[in-house]
PDB file of all heavy atoms in Angstrom:
ATOM      1  N   GLY G  65    -133.443  17.602-147.631  1.00  0.00           N
ATOM      2  CA  GLY G  65    -132.364  16.630-147.772  1.00  0.00           C
ATOM      3  C   GLY G  65    -131.593  16.858-149.063  1.00  0.00           C
ATOM      4  O   GLY G  65    -130.363  16.725-149.114  1.00  0.00           O
ATOM      5  N   THR G  66    -132.308  17.224-150.108  1.00  0.00           N
ATOM      6  CA  THR G  66    -131.665  17.471-151.403  1.00  0.00           C
ATOM      7  C   THR G  66    -130.699  18.651-151.284  1.00  0.00           C
ATOM      8  O   THR G  66    -129.562  18.597-151.771  1.00  0.00           O
ATOM      9  CB  THR G  66    -132.760  17.764-152.467  1.00  0.00           C
ATOM     10  OG1 THR G  66    -133.630  16.634-152.517  1.00  0.00           O
ATOM     11  CG2 THR G  66    -132.168  18.030-153.826  1.00  0.00           C
ATOM     12  N   HIS G  90    -130.047   8.097-153.803  1.00  0.00           N
ATOM     13  CA  HIS G  90    -130.920   9.256-153.979  1.00  0.00           C
ATOM     14  C   HIS G  90    -130.196  10.372-154.717  1.00  0.00           C
ATOM     15  O   HIS G  90    -130.743  11.013-155.612  1.00  0.00           O
ATOM     16  CB  HIS G  90    -131.417   9.751-152.607  1.00  0.00           C
ATOM     17  CG  HIS G  90    -132.603  10.647-152.697  1.00  0.00           C
ATOM     18  ND1 HIS G  90    -132.500  11.993-152.975  1.00  0.00           N
ATOM     19  CD2 HIS G  90    -133.931  10.399-152.586  1.00  0.00           C
ATOM     20  CE1 HIS G  90    -133.708  12.528-153.001  1.00  0.00           C
ATOM     21  NE2 HIS G  90    -134.598  11.589-152.772  1.00  0.00           N
ATOM     22  N   ASN G 148    -132.532   3.969-149.233  1.00  0.00           N
ATOM     23  CA  ASN G 148    -133.945   4.015-149.613  1.00  0.00           C
ATOM     24  C   ASN G 148    -134.262   3.002-150.721  1.00  0.00           C
ATOM     25  O   ASN G 148    -135.079   2.088-150.534  1.00  0.00           O
ATOM     26  CB  ASN G 148    -134.232   5.467-150.051  1.00  0.00           C
ATOM     27  CG  ASN G 148    -135.649   5.685-150.539  1.00  0.00           C
ATOM     28  OD1 ASN G 148    -136.455   4.776-150.614  1.00  0.00           O
ATOM     29  ND2 ASN G 148    -135.961   6.922-150.876  1.00  0.00           N
ATOM     30  N   ASP G 178    -125.320  10.400-146.966  1.00  0.00           N
ATOM     31  CA  ASP G 178    -126.707  10.841-147.039  1.00  0.00           C
ATOM     32  C   ASP G 178    -127.443  10.040-145.969  1.00  0.00           C
ATOM     33  O   ASP G 178    -127.862   8.908-146.194  1.00  0.00           O
ATOM     34  CB  ASP G 178    -127.272  10.571-148.443  1.00  0.00           C
ATOM     35  CG  ASP G 178    -128.759  10.910-148.534  1.00  0.00           C
ATOM     36  OD1 ASP G 178    -129.363  11.228-147.490  1.00  0.00           O
ATOM     37  OD2 ASP G 178    -129.303  10.854-149.660  1.00  0.00           O
ATOM     38  N   ARG G 181    -132.153   8.996-143.260  1.00  0.00           N
ATOM     39  CA  ARG G 181    -132.819   8.151-142.243  1.00  0.00           C
ATOM     40  C   ARG G 181    -131.796   7.497-141.313  1.00  0.00           C
ATOM     41  O   ARG G 181    -131.954   6.348-140.902  1.00  0.00           O
ATOM     42  CB  ARG G 181    -133.670   7.085-142.937  1.00  0.00           C
ATOM     43  CG  ARG G 181    -134.800   7.648-143.766  1.00  0.00           C
ATOM     44  CD  ARG G 181    -135.684   6.585-144.395  1.00  0.00           C
ATOM     45  NE  ARG G 181    -136.756   7.196-145.179  1.00  0.00           N
ATOM     46  CZ  ARG G 181    -136.626   7.651-146.424  1.00  0.00           C
ATOM     47  NH1 ARG G 181    -135.444   7.556-147.049  1.00  0.00           N
ATOM     48  NH2 ARG G 181    -137.645   8.195-147.052  1.00  0.00           N
ATOM     49  N   LYS G 209    -138.614  13.387-142.265  1.00  0.00           N
ATOM     50  CA  LYS G 209    -139.053  12.025-142.638  1.00  0.00           C
ATOM     51  C   LYS G 209    -139.569  11.329-141.373  1.00  0.00           C
ATOM     52  O   LYS G 209    -140.549  11.777-140.799  1.00  0.00           O
ATOM     53  CB  LYS G 209    -137.921  11.295-143.340  1.00  0.00           C
ATOM     54  CG  LYS G 209    -137.571  12.004-144.646  1.00  0.00           C
ATOM     55  CD  LYS G 209    -136.761  11.215-145.596  1.00  0.00           C
ATOM     56  CE  LYS G 209    -136.775  11.849-146.974  1.00  0.00           C
ATOM     57  NZ  LYS G 209    -136.236  13.223-147.027  1.00  0.00           N
TER      58      LYS G 209
HETATM   59  C1  PLP K 401    -132.162   8.815-148.959  1.00  0.00           C
HETATM   60  C2  PLP K 401    -132.719  10.171-149.251  1.00  0.00           C
HETATM   61  N1  PLP K 401    -131.879  11.200-149.344  1.00  0.00           N
HETATM   62  C3  PLP K 401    -132.329  12.446-149.594  1.00  0.00           C
HETATM   63  C4  PLP K 401    -133.673  12.692-149.749  1.00  0.00           C
HETATM   64  C5  PLP K 401    -134.128  14.086-150.083  1.00  0.00           C
HETATM   65  O1  PLP K 401    -134.853  14.682-149.084  1.00  0.00           O
HETATM   66  P1  PLP K 401    -135.846  15.923-149.442  1.00  0.00           P
HETATM   67  O2  PLP K 401    -137.078  15.303-149.983  1.00  0.00           O
HETATM   68  O3  PLP K 401    -136.043  16.576-148.118  1.00  0.00           O
HETATM   69  O4  PLP K 401    -135.149  16.774-150.412  1.00  0.00           O
HETATM   70  C6  PLP K 401    -134.584  11.641-149.660  1.00  0.00           C
HETATM   71  C7  PLP K 401    -136.031  11.894-149.850  1.00  0.00           C
HETATM   72  O5  PLP K 401    -136.844  11.015-149.919  1.00  0.00           O
HETATM   73  C8  PLP K 401    -134.103  10.335-149.405  1.00  0.00           C
HETATM   74  O6  PLP K 401    -134.924   9.287-149.324  1.00  0.00           O
END
Side-chain angles (χ1 to χ4, degrees):
T66 301
H90 197 278
N148 178 358
D178 175 353
R181 297 183 180 82
K209 297 196 165 60

